[in-house]
Amino acid sequence: MSYQFDWSVLFSGQSGSWLLQGLITTLQISALAWLLALVLGIFAGSFRTLPIGPLRWAASCYVEFFRNVPLLVWMFFWYFGVPPLLPQAVQDWLFDHGAEFWAGMFALGVYHGARFSEVIRAGIQSIPSTQFEAAVSTGLTIAQTYRLIIIPIALRLIIPPATNESLNLLKNSSVALTIGVAELTFQTRQIETYTARAIEALTAGTLIYLLLCLCIAALVSRLERRFAIPGMIVQMRAE
Amino acid sequence: MTVVEFRQVNKWFGSLHVLRDIDLKINAGEVVVVCGPSGSGKSTLLRCINRLETIQSGELVVDGVSLSDPKFDAAKLRANVGMVFQSFNLYPHMTVLQNVMLAPIKVKGMAPRDAEKTAADLLDRVGIPDKANGYPANLSGGQQQRVAIARALAMRPKIMLFDEPTSALDPEMINEVLEVMSDLARDGMTMVVVTHEMGFARRVANRIAFMDEGRIVEEGQPDGFFTAPQSARAQQFLSKILSH
């Protein structure tokens, strides 16, 4: 092997600030997309468990439509497809204000919202139906029962698979580089282009993703213990 | 005053005819025990009263409102009809006190401070004031069921429905729940109870409705029912459950 490693490229020139900017953009796009996905997922997942035909149908359409088309296609769709449908003034405004970021964020959010929805639906369906009946029997409406009882319990039950989905979302934010969002992978490639040091640049990117995901997983497992339902098995690990 | 009235009520689950021509009147302050073999339609009958099940024909009037009225509001009805389930179904993520306070605050708009006071009084009444800040998982089955009763009472219901409230309990916890129910009956609460506790039925009920295959086969005073059941089906049922 004749390759000479040169790690100094990561600490010289603009590499450091590019990586930092990339990291910040990755965190921003992921956080916003995560919030969007969570809200869409809670609504769609809940609607799919309700005995109300039109809501179930709408939620099922959303889930099947978005989870069955590749994320990359959605990125292109929101960036290249949607803007021409908007009024010229809105288009101009968007392209002055980072259209690629918003398109990427929407694509990521709606795609993962569809996937979150299934996780949340599974959580809701694991709750015995008598729990729902007991709540509505006290006079709570269906909406109140979902908001106060069913969803708070379901969210606690689904923390492990939802963490998986959240980490997938974070990693999938790298797809946004294809529409020009200057996130972490984009910046890693930029370092590679400028220094011709592929291994060093990709190693830096890989480590940053890895650390980021590990930190999130650690944070979530703390939250999981903090919000554990007393009597559920998760408490045993906290001992 | 009649608070619940079934008039020729029929219900099917698919092709299964679960309630057949039910006629039943329940008056204010009355305790009616519904008994019968499993699959006879007891729980379904009870669950129709607060609209957890819908009926397909006949008429059901609860607290002066017909449940088949197009303007009927299920949440409004349920605010006045308490229900206790076999499986307790407390809210596991809330404390005992929060379980009891929730509906008065969210449904009646009661101030949290008042709701807390009502809840504390009710927990006192069902005999577990010291567990108010515990979680359901830390309570025994009997305690959980008493909290479930307190939760239903917090809405000051006009009628209380009990769906096999002691069937999931260890034998030594059955009495503590039955005692709370007997106290309620003594205070004049209108109650409809599906149970296999024949001792309770005999002591507390004003009336027994015996069901078999979706019909009310026999209806009458507990003394008459237990000593001289009229129908062959009831005689057979009682001989099986009272022989041990």
Side-chain angles (χ1 to χ4, degrees):
Chain A
M1 194 180 76
S2 59
Y3 190 85
Q4 294 291 315
F5 286 98
D6 179 9
W7 298 102
S8 69
V9 298
L10 298 175
F11 306 100
S12 56
Q14 288 182 281
S15 297
S17 77
W18 283 342
L19 284 174
L20 184 66
Q21 279 167 22
L23 174 63
I24 291 170
T25 305
T26 288
L27 285 173
Q28 282 172 334
I29 198 170
S30 300
L32 286 173
W34 186 81
L35 281 177
L36 178 64
L38 191 68
V39 171
L40 288 171
I42 288 175
F43 276 100
S46 301
F47 286 177
R48 291 193 89 182
T49 65
L50 285 176
I52 302 168
L55 290 183
R56 266 167 98 124
W57 183 82
S60 298
C61 285
Y62 162 66
V63 171
E64 297 306 343
F65 196 60
F66 280 91
R67 74 169 174 182
N68 290 320
V69 173
L71 176 60
L72 185 59
V73 174
W74 284 127
M75 290 273 175
F76 288 167
F77 177 82
W78 287 93
Y79 186 61
F80 299 114
V82 172
L85 302 176
L86 301 171
Q88 191 59 45
V90 179
Q91 279 188 52
D92 292 344
W93 186 89
L94 267 178
F95 283 99
D96 284 343
H97 292 82
E100 65 282 354
F101 178 90
W102 296 109
M105 193 280 287
F106 263 104
L108 204 56
V110 292
Y111 175 80
H112 280 279
R115 297 178 52 101
F116 263 131
S117 158
E118 287 301 274
V119 173
I120 288 164
R121 179 164 75 105
I124 291 174
Q125 287 176 337
S126 72
I127 301 171
S129 61
T130 47
Q131 184 76 72
F132 172 84
E133 291 177 348
V136 296
S137 292
T138 63
L140 294 172
T141 61
I142 293 176
Q144 284 176 319
T145 299
Y146 265 73
R147 188 164 53 82
L148 300 166
I149 313 293
I150 302 298
I151 291 169
I153 297 174
L155 288 180
R156 286 163 165 91
L157 296 176
I158 59 154
I159 288 175
T163 307
N164 243 345
E165 269 313 314
S166 304
L167 296 180
N168 272 340
L169 182 151
L170 182 94
K171 290 178 286 178
N172 277 344
S173 67
S174 60
V175 176
L177 87 88
T178 57
I179 55 170
V181 177
E183 46 67 69
L184 185 56
T185 308
F186 180 99
Q187 298 291 16
T188 310
R189 304 268 336 253
Q190 178 153 274
I191 296 172
E192 183 202 333
T193 310
Y194 271 72
T195 63
R197 289 283 171 184
I199 295 182
E200 289 84 345
L202 288 169
T203 303
T206 305
L207 284 178
I208 293 174
Y209 276 116
L210 186 68
L211 277 174
L212 203 56
C213 289
L214 287 173
C215 288
I216 290 172
L219 189 76
V220 171
S221 85
R222 285 185 71 127
L223 281 179
E224 192 177 6
R225 286 199 290 271
R226 166 78 180 71
F227 288 105
I229 295 173
M232 293 252 173
I233 203 150
V234 68
Q235 267 220 320
M236 289 169 67
R237 272 190 272 141
E239 282 174 2
Chain B
M1 192 183 78
T2 307
V3 284
V4 178
E5 184 171 3
F6 288 79
R7 287 186 213 128
Q8 286 293 301
V9 167
N10 280 278
K11 176 172 180 62
W12 286 263
F13 283 129
S15 61
L16 191 68
H17 199 170
V18 283
L19 293 181
R20 298 170 188 251
D21 303 327
I22 300 288
D23 279 306
L24 181 69
K25 267 190 185 183
I26 296 160
N27 296 317
E30 227 184 348
V31 177
V32 175
V33 164
V34 183
C35 64
S38 32
S40 59
K42 317 178 287 283
S43 287
T44 307
L45 178 126
L46 192 74
R47 290 161 58 85
C48 286
I49 300 175
N50 70 347
R51 240 304 180 83
L52 287 180
E53 303 288 354
T54 50
I55 62 173
Q56 270 98 48
S57 78
E59 198 176 17
L60 174 53
V61 180
V62 179
D63 194 23
V65 181
S66 169
L67 272 58
S68 33
D69 189 321
K71 283 180 288 180
F72 168 78
D73 178 351
K76 210 169 154 188
L77 168 87
R78 291 171 185 149
N80 288 320
V81 181
M83 184 155 185
V84 175
F85 296 80
Q86 181 177 344
S87 45
F88 328 136
N89 298 117
L90 297 179
Y91 313 133
H93 59 307
M94 296 183 184
T95 65
V96 164
L97 196 67
Q98 288 168 337
N99 264 272
V100 182
M101 288 165 60
L102 185 72
I105 293 174
K106 298 295 176 182
V107 179
K108 287 187 163 174
M110 198 186 265
R113 192 178 297 172
D114 298 338
E116 187 173 341
K117 194 179 172 310
T118 311
D121 289 346
L122 284 166
L123 289 174
D124 203 26
R125 184 166 162 193
V126 299
I128 27 179
D130 50 326
K131 300 280 186 185
N133 294 314
Y135 281 87
N138 305 325
L139 269 58
S140 72
Q143 290 171 329
Q144 288 191 51
Q145 194 60 301
R146 285 184 283 149
V147 174
I149 295 173
R151 178 176 66 181
L153 291 176
M155 289 297 289
R156 301 194 180 288
K158 295 181 180 162
I159 311 160
M160 283 285 284
L161 310 176
F162 293 86
D163 191 3
E164 303 204 24
T166 57
S167 299
L169 293 175
D170 288 341
E172 75 257 41
M173 291 170 186
I174 291 176
N175 278 336
E176 64 190 54
V177 172
L178 293 181
E179 268 166 36
V180 170
M181 291 168 62
S182 304
D183 286 348
L184 258 186
R186 208 172 304 127
D187 293 345
M189 175 64 77
T190 309
M191 293 164 57
V192 188
V193 185
V194 172
T195 185
H196 297 294
E197 294 297 329
M198 292 300 130
F200 170 84
R202 198 162 185 170
R203 273 197 324 276
V204 180
N206 302 109
R207 208 144 40 98
I208 309 277
F210 174 76
M211 290 186 73
D212 187 37
E213 292 180 348
R215 285 180 205 285
I216 296 182
V217 179
E218 193 168 336
E219 200 187 324
Q221 308 268 321
D223 278 344
F225 177 76
F226 285 109
T227 51
Q230 303 296 304
S231 61
R233 192 65 190 84
Q235 287 165 10
Q236 191 191 0
F237 175 77
L238 287 174
S239 72
K240 274 187 189 152
I241 63 164
L242 296 179
S243 60
H244 56 84

PDB file of all heavy atoms in Angstrom, chain B residues 133-156:
ATOM      1  N   ASN B 133     -50.565   9.267  45.681  1.00  0.00           N
ATOM      2  CA  ASN B 133     -49.464   9.653  44.801  1.00  0.00           C
ATOM      3  C   ASN B 133     -48.713   8.472  44.210  1.00  0.00           C
ATOM      4  O   ASN B 133     -47.694   8.644  43.546  1.00  0.00           O
ATOM      5  CB  ASN B 133     -48.512  10.591  45.544  1.00  0.00           C
ATOM      6  CG  ASN B 133     -49.206  11.903  45.864  1.00  0.00           C
ATOM      7  OD1 ASN B 133     -49.870  12.490  45.006  1.00  0.00           O
ATOM      8  ND2 ASN B 133     -49.111  12.348  47.120  1.00  0.00           N
ATOM      9  N   GLY B 134     -49.220   7.264  44.456  1.00  0.00           N
ATOM     10  CA  GLY B 134     -48.611   6.086  43.849  1.00  0.00           C
ATOM     11  C   GLY B 134     -49.105   5.919  42.421  1.00  0.00           C
ATOM     12  O   GLY B 134     -50.038   6.603  41.987  1.00  0.00           O
ATOM     13  N   TYR B 135     -48.442   5.010  41.707  1.00  0.00           N
ATOM     14  CA  TYR B 135     -48.884   4.698  40.349  1.00  0.00           C
ATOM     15  C   TYR B 135     -49.677   3.390  40.367  1.00  0.00           C
ATOM     16  O   TYR B 135     -49.454   2.543  41.242  1.00  0.00           O
ATOM     17  CB  TYR B 135     -47.678   4.591  39.416  1.00  0.00           C
ATOM     18  CG  TYR B 135     -47.162   5.943  39.010  1.00  0.00           C
ATOM     19  CD1 TYR B 135     -46.225   6.625  39.785  1.00  0.00           C
ATOM     20  CD2 TYR B 135     -47.648   6.565  37.861  1.00  0.00           C
ATOM     21  CE1 TYR B 135     -45.776   7.882  39.424  1.00  0.00           C
ATOM     22  CE2 TYR B 135     -47.205   7.817  37.491  1.00  0.00           C
ATOM     23  CZ  TYR B 135     -46.267   8.477  38.271  1.00  0.00           C
ATOM     24  OH  TYR B 135     -45.838   9.724  37.902  1.00  0.00           O
ATOM     25  N   PRO B 136     -50.586   3.214  39.419  1.00  0.00           N
ATOM     26  CA  PRO B 136     -51.419   2.006  39.410  1.00  0.00           C
ATOM     27  C   PRO B 136     -50.606   0.717  39.550  1.00  0.00           C
ATOM     28  O   PRO B 136     -51.026  -0.205  40.248  1.00  0.00           O
ATOM     29  CB  PRO B 136     -52.114   2.080  38.040  1.00  0.00           C
ATOM     30  CG  PRO B 136     -52.234   3.538  37.791  1.00  0.00           C
ATOM     31  CD  PRO B 136     -50.983   4.152  38.354  1.00  0.00           C
ATOM     32  N   ALA B 137     -49.426   0.673  38.904  1.00  0.00           N
ATOM     33  CA  ALA B 137     -48.642  -0.563  38.935  1.00  0.00           C
ATOM     34  C   ALA B 137     -48.205  -0.934  40.349  1.00  0.00           C
ATOM     35  O   ALA B 137     -47.887  -2.087  40.623  1.00  0.00           O
ATOM     36  CB  ALA B 137     -47.427  -0.426  38.042  1.00  0.00           C
ATOM     37  N   ASN B 138     -48.172   0.050  41.251  1.00  0.00           N
ATOM     38  CA  ASN B 138     -47.723  -0.237  42.617  1.00  0.00           C
ATOM     39  C   ASN B 138     -48.863  -0.643  43.543  1.00  0.00           C
ATOM     40  O   ASN B 138     -48.672  -0.792  44.754  1.00  0.00           O
ATOM     41  CB  ASN B 138     -47.011   0.990  43.202  1.00  0.00           C
ATOM     42  CG  ASN B 138     -45.872   1.444  42.320  1.00  0.00           C
ATOM     43  OD1 ASN B 138     -45.206   0.611  41.700  1.00  0.00           O
ATOM     44  ND2 ASN B 138     -45.656   2.740  42.224  1.00  0.00           N
ATOM     45  N   LEU B 139     -50.058  -0.791  42.969  1.00  0.00           N
ATOM     46  CA  LEU B 139     -51.225  -1.148  43.785  1.00  0.00           C
ATOM     47  C   LEU B 139     -51.616  -2.597  43.531  1.00  0.00           C
ATOM     48  O   LEU B 139     -51.375  -3.131  42.449  1.00  0.00           O
ATOM     49  CB  LEU B 139     -52.411  -0.252  43.394  1.00  0.00           C
ATOM     50  CG  LEU B 139     -52.618   1.053  44.157  1.00  0.00           C
ATOM     51  CD1 LEU B 139     -51.391   1.934  44.054  1.00  0.00           C
ATOM     52  CD2 LEU B 139     -53.830   1.788  43.621  1.00  0.00           C
ATOM     53  N   SER B 140     -52.259  -3.202  44.517  1.00  0.00           N
ATOM     54  CA  SER B 140     -52.794  -4.556  44.312  1.00  0.00           C
ATOM     55  C   SER B 140     -54.023  -4.458  43.409  1.00  0.00           C
ATOM     56  O   SER B 140     -54.561  -3.374  43.181  1.00  0.00           O
ATOM     57  CB  SER B 140     -53.191  -5.165  45.646  1.00  0.00           C
ATOM     58  OG  SER B 140     -54.360  -4.524  46.123  1.00  0.00           O
ATOM     59  N   GLY B 141     -54.461  -5.609  42.912  1.00  0.00           N
ATOM     60  CA  GLY B 141     -55.639  -5.621  42.046  1.00  0.00           C
ATOM     61  C   GLY B 141     -56.861  -5.025  42.721  1.00  0.00           C
ATOM     62  O   GLY B 141     -57.596  -4.230  42.138  1.00  0.00           O
ATOM     63  N   GLY B 142     -57.070  -5.396  43.988  1.00  0.00           N
ATOM     64  CA  GLY B 142     -58.224  -4.883  44.716  1.00  0.00           C
ATOM     65  C   GLY B 142     -58.168  -3.371  44.880  1.00  0.00           C
ATOM     66  O   GLY B 142     -59.167  -2.675  44.727  1.00  0.00           O
ATOM     67  N   GLN B 143     -56.948  -2.876  45.155  1.00  0.00           N
ATOM     68  CA  GLN B 143     -56.792  -1.417  45.291  1.00  0.00           C
ATOM     69  C   GLN B 143     -57.029  -0.725  43.958  1.00  0.00           C
ATOM     70  O   GLN B 143     -57.688   0.312  43.892  1.00  0.00           O
ATOM     71  CB  GLN B 143     -55.390  -1.101  45.817  1.00  0.00           C
ATOM     72  CG  GLN B 143     -55.190  -1.510  47.263  1.00  0.00           C
ATOM     73  CD  GLN B 143     -53.732  -1.388  47.695  1.00  0.00           C
ATOM     74  OE1 GLN B 143     -52.813  -1.558  46.904  1.00  0.00           O
ATOM     75  NE2 GLN B 143     -53.526  -1.083  48.963  1.00  0.00           N
ATOM     76  N   GLN B 144     -56.494  -1.323  42.881  1.00  0.00           N
ATOM     77  CA  GLN B 144     -56.696  -0.714  41.555  1.00  0.00           C
ATOM     78  C   GLN B 144     -58.180  -0.638  41.223  1.00  0.00           C
ATOM     79  O   GLN B 144     -58.653   0.368  40.693  1.00  0.00           O
ATOM     80  CB  GLN B 144     -55.987  -1.530  40.476  1.00  0.00           C
ATOM     81  CG  GLN B 144     -54.484  -1.405  40.518  1.00  0.00           C
ATOM     82  CD  GLN B 144     -53.841  -2.016  39.275  1.00  0.00           C
ATOM     83  OE1 GLN B 144     -54.201  -1.729  38.156  1.00  0.00           O
ATOM     84  NE2 GLN B 144     -52.873  -2.887  39.488  1.00  0.00           N
ATOM     85  N   GLN B 145     -58.913  -1.706  41.551  1.00  0.00           N
ATOM     86  CA  GLN B 145     -60.327  -1.694  41.218  1.00  0.00           C
ATOM     87  C   GLN B 145     -61.075  -0.655  42.054  1.00  0.00           C
ATOM     88  O   GLN B 145     -61.999  -0.018  41.575  1.00  0.00           O
ATOM     89  CB  GLN B 145     -60.927  -3.096  41.400  1.00  0.00           C
ATOM     90  CG  GLN B 145     -62.292  -3.287  40.773  1.00  0.00           C
ATOM     91  CD  GLN B 145     -62.306  -3.062  39.265  1.00  0.00           C
ATOM     92  OE1 GLN B 145     -61.952  -1.976  38.789  1.00  0.00           O
ATOM     93  NE2 GLN B 145     -62.718  -4.057  38.510  1.00  0.00           N
ATOM     94  N   ARG B 146     -60.638  -0.456  43.301  1.00  0.00           N
ATOM     95  CA  ARG B 146     -61.291   0.573  44.116  1.00  0.00           C
ATOM     96  C   ARG B 146     -60.988   1.971  43.583  1.00  0.00           C
ATOM     97  O   ARG B 146     -61.844   2.856  43.612  1.00  0.00           O
ATOM     98  CB  ARG B 146     -60.869   0.422  45.581  1.00  0.00           C
ATOM     99  CG  ARG B 146     -61.571  -0.784  46.234  1.00  0.00           C
ATOM    100  CD  ARG B 146     -61.271  -0.915  47.699  1.00  0.00           C
ATOM    101  NE  ARG B 146     -59.951  -1.474  47.944  1.00  0.00           N
ATOM    102  CZ  ARG B 146     -59.214  -1.184  48.996  1.00  0.00           C
ATOM    103  NH1 ARG B 146     -59.649  -0.337  49.914  1.00  0.00           N
ATOM    104  NH2 ARG B 146     -58.027  -1.746  49.161  1.00  0.00           N
ATOM    105  N   VAL B 147     -59.766   2.153  43.059  1.00  0.00           N
ATOM    106  CA  VAL B 147     -59.458   3.435  42.413  1.00  0.00           C
ATOM    107  C   VAL B 147     -60.337   3.620  41.176  1.00  0.00           C
ATOM    108  O   VAL B 147     -60.866   4.711  40.919  1.00  0.00           O
ATOM    109  CB  VAL B 147     -57.959   3.532  42.016  1.00  0.00           C
ATOM    110  CG1 VAL B 147     -57.702   4.809  41.218  1.00  0.00           C
ATOM    111  CG2 VAL B 147     -57.076   3.495  43.256  1.00  0.00           C
ATOM    112  N   ALA B 148     -60.523   2.531  40.431  1.00  0.00           N
ATOM    113  CA  ALA B 148     -61.375   2.620  39.236  1.00  0.00           C
ATOM    114  C   ALA B 148     -62.797   3.028  39.617  1.00  0.00           C
ATOM    115  O   ALA B 148     -63.445   3.804  38.905  1.00  0.00           O
ATOM    116  CB  ALA B 148     -61.376   1.290  38.488  1.00  0.00           C
ATOM    117  N   ILE B 149     -63.265   2.539  40.748  1.00  0.00           N
ATOM    118  CA  ILE B 149     -64.604   2.941  41.217  1.00  0.00           C
ATOM    119  C   ILE B 149     -64.598   4.432  41.583  1.00  0.00           C
ATOM    120  O   ILE B 149     -65.491   5.183  41.192  1.00  0.00           O
ATOM    121  CB  ILE B 149     -65.050   2.070  42.416  1.00  0.00           C
ATOM    122  CG1 ILE B 149     -65.226   0.613  41.967  1.00  0.00           C
ATOM    123  CG2 ILE B 149     -66.352   2.600  43.021  1.00  0.00           C
ATOM    124  CD1 ILE B 149     -65.504  -0.378  43.105  1.00  0.00           C
ATOM    125  N   ALA B 150     -63.547   4.850  42.285  1.00  0.00           N
ATOM    126  CA  ALA B 150     -63.443   6.271  42.656  1.00  0.00           C
ATOM    127  C   ALA B 150     -63.385   7.145  41.405  1.00  0.00           C
ATOM    128  O   ALA B 150     -63.997   8.215  41.335  1.00  0.00           O
ATOM    129  CB  ALA B 150     -62.206   6.499  43.524  1.00  0.00           C
ATOM    130  N   ARG B 151     -62.652   6.677  40.382  1.00  0.00           N
ATOM    131  CA  ARG B 151     -62.535   7.446  39.136  1.00  0.00           C
ATOM    132  C   ARG B 151     -63.909   7.633  38.499  1.00  0.00           C
ATOM    133  O   ARG B 151     -64.229   8.714  37.995  1.00  0.00           O
ATOM    134  CB  ARG B 151     -61.589   6.716  38.178  1.00  0.00           C
ATOM    135  CG  ARG B 151     -61.444   7.394  36.844  1.00  0.00           C
ATOM    136  CD  ARG B 151     -60.429   6.705  35.958  1.00  0.00           C
ATOM    137  NE  ARG B 151     -60.863   5.365  35.560  1.00  0.00           N
ATOM    138  CZ  ARG B 151     -60.142   4.558  34.794  1.00  0.00           C
ATOM    139  NH1 ARG B 151     -58.957   4.948  34.361  1.00  0.00           N
ATOM    140  NH2 ARG B 151     -60.589   3.371  34.465  1.00  0.00           N
ATOM    141  N   ALA B 152     -64.712   6.572  38.518  1.00  0.00           N
ATOM    142  CA  ALA B 152     -66.051   6.683  37.937  1.00  0.00           C
ATOM    143  C   ALA B 152     -66.940   7.588  38.793  1.00  0.00           C
ATOM    144  O   ALA B 152     -67.696   8.406  38.273  1.00  0.00           O
ATOM    145  CB  ALA B 152     -66.679   5.297  37.789  1.00  0.00           C
ATOM    146  N   LEU B 153     -66.810   7.473  40.113  1.00  0.00           N
ATOM    147  CA  LEU B 153     -67.659   8.279  41.005  1.00  0.00           C
ATOM    148  C   LEU B 153     -67.324   9.760  40.934  1.00  0.00           C
ATOM    149  O   LEU B 153     -68.163  10.605  41.228  1.00  0.00           O
ATOM    150  CB  LEU B 153     -67.509   7.796  42.458  1.00  0.00           C
ATOM    151  CG  LEU B 153     -68.088   6.427  42.782  1.00  0.00           C
ATOM    152  CD1 LEU B 153     -67.767   6.051  44.228  1.00  0.00           C
ATOM    153  CD2 LEU B 153     -69.604   6.414  42.555  1.00  0.00           C
ATOM    154  N   ALA B 154     -66.084  10.069  40.553  1.00  0.00           N
ATOM    155  CA  ALA B 154     -65.656  11.475  40.521  1.00  0.00           C
ATOM    156  C   ALA B 154     -66.527  12.314  39.595  1.00  0.00           C
ATOM    157  O   ALA B 154     -66.631  13.527  39.741  1.00  0.00           O
ATOM    158  CB  ALA B 154     -64.186  11.574  40.099  1.00  0.00           C
ATOM    159  N   MET B 155     -67.160  11.661  38.621  1.00  0.00           N
ATOM    160  CA  MET B 155     -68.034  12.404  37.701  1.00  0.00           C
ATOM    161  C   MET B 155     -69.445  12.564  38.265  1.00  0.00           C
ATOM    162  O   MET B 155     -70.329  13.075  37.591  1.00  0.00           O
ATOM    163  CB  MET B 155     -68.088  11.693  36.345  1.00  0.00           C
ATOM    164  CG  MET B 155     -66.796  11.787  35.544  1.00  0.00           C
ATOM    165  SD  MET B 155     -66.384  13.479  35.090  1.00  0.00           S
ATOM    166  CE  MET B 155     -67.639  13.807  33.855  1.00  0.00           C
ATOM    167  N   ARG B 156     -69.651  12.124  39.493  1.00  0.00           N
ATOM    168  CA  ARG B 156     -70.991  12.139  40.108  1.00  0.00           C
ATOM    169  C   ARG B 156     -72.040  11.559  39.162  1.00  0.00           C
ATOM    170  O   ARG B 156     -73.018  12.229  38.797  1.00  0.00           O
ATOM    171  CB  ARG B 156     -71.403  13.563  40.506  1.00  0.00           C
ATOM    172  CG  ARG B 156     -70.456  14.205  41.491  1.00  0.00           C
ATOM    173  CD  ARG B 156     -71.061  15.451  42.117  1.00  0.00           C
ATOM    174  NE  ARG B 156     -70.141  16.067  43.062  1.00  0.00           N
ATOM    175  CZ  ARG B 156     -69.849  15.553  44.257  1.00  0.00           C
ATOM    176  NH1 ARG B 156     -70.427  14.447  44.660  1.00  0.00           N
ATOM    177  NH2 ARG B 156     -68.987  16.170  45.052  1.00  0.00           N
TER     178      ARG B 156
END
